[in-house]
Amino acid sequence: MVRKNQRQIGAPAILALLLALCCQAAAGDERKQLAFEVVDRNAEQMALISDSIFYLGELGMQELESTRLLQQTLEAAGFKVELGGAGMPTNLWAEWGSGRPKIAIVTEVDALPGGSQAPGEFERKPLLAGAPGHMEGHNIHGGVASMAAFAVKEVMARDHIAGTIAISFGPAEEQLASRPFLARAGYFKDVDAVIYLHIGPWLATGYGLQNYAAISSIFTFHGKTAHGAVNPWDGRDAVDAVELMDIGFDKLREHLRPSYRAHRTITNGGIQPNIIADTGQIWWFVRDASMPAAKETYDKLVKIAEGAALMTGTGWDVKYAASAWPQLGNKAIAEAIQRNIGLVGMPKWTDEDQRFARDFQKSAERPVVGLRTEPMALGSRAQSTSSNDNGDVSWIVPAGIFNFPSSVPGIEYHEWHAAITPVGPISHKGQVTGAKVLAASIIDLMTTPDALASARVEFLEESAKTPYFALLPPDVQPSIDLNRAEMEKYRGAMQKFYLNKSPRFN
Ligand SMILES: [Zn+2]
């Protein structure tokens, strides 16, 4: 009797639960449709933000005009914007909503030195010779991040969804120069999840270690000047120390893990041959697949500097320049992103887009494969050997990694070819796809407490395997003069390319 009653009560309860789940899914789908409509309606404004930032072409820590444009656009769209936090004038943090859950988009808008290039031209044709430019496509991160956040905001406002949507545009990603400072300033303390956004030739997400750890330090040796011919015995040559450090590290290379990377540039090699140099300087990057491994190599490098100073009777010091933990991609968030990648799909490339891509690949002497037509499968990417300072954030808060297809396969970043497409139709179509997947994924995280909870559980497990330690010395301040002289050299002459428009979302 009791059993029968239970069955009688049980069936409607299950039915109600199924209905609730079904309605929840339907509500989620409907919200995403609204977000997609907002993106489609504002696609031109998004492209205008990205194109404007392309022509501003600002180097890291000097993204003054770019962040001003983003600030004005986001404030007009109802966001609260803080510019200049953590001691960096071009650090932008924007928020809409209140309380938890709090989901942040993390990205950057800096350009690269010497990257000026007329878009759409296959020949090397700088807009302004020697000037900086977007030869990676960070300019489009500005449009996509703002667009996605606005679309999420529209959905949250209509449905009275509790929580906060935030965007972090960190300065100087190309020099790995800001995120450890953002972490130290506590920006991610009350954030439940972040999604890191980056241009790619593919539509993809991933989990586990995505890229490399890096430590960047500048070693300076201090000697004593003397006439190179008359009394060299009175001198102590700081450039000798630089050379010995270089040779010393080359001797070490054989004994390092195959996964390591180390590269250097001599930033002060003396003045002229007949003056024994009292100053010599060498700038090193050391990388590895994990931060403890990179740190182990770095500690050996420091001992080599000590030895080089001892051999030459010079003094020395080392200055922290930058560091980056490898990005730790969260699988639960990646799965949410992948579902939305499946929902949105690749952009509909036209024959003209494909023809342009193939002509471009041919002219750049790359495999002529055209544009990708399918998203990447989840978990199909190998750990890359490059680094990004947002890696630190992924050891503090669960992080999703998301690439959207706005560049041409085979065209590597950090060379001028990559500055040909960031403002063309391929980029613009990729941005629409990127903003939709990003908005839909944030809506999922914002409205599905279970998804955030499993992301947190996984994060605690995975991050405990390699306990995070900060590389940033406690007394170090951000290098806000970074790239200033270089930027000021060109900024005036670059102004004639500015679009001078005010993008507005509606
Ligand atoms: Zn980048």
Side-chain angles (χ1 to χ4, degrees), residues 308-370:
L310 197 62
M311 281 189 277
T312 50
T314 53
W316 70 287
D317 60 65
V318 56
K319 189 171 149 264
Y320 167 94
S323 60
W325 275 65
Q327 293 166 331
L328 177 63
N330 186 282
K331 191 175 178 188
I333 300 179
E335 284 169 348
I337 296 172
Q338 190 73 29
R339 277 194 297 275
N340 290 301
I341 284 176
L343 183 65
V344 175
M346 286 293 286
K348 306 266 176 289
W349 307 121
T350 61
D351 292 346
E352 176 51 32
D353 296 332
Q354 288 287 11
R355 195 177 318 119
F356 178 90
R358 285 194 300 269
D359 289 349
F360 184 16
Q361 287 158 339
K362 196 174 168 200
S363 82
E365 297 174 344
R366 306 294 151 80
V368 180
V369 293

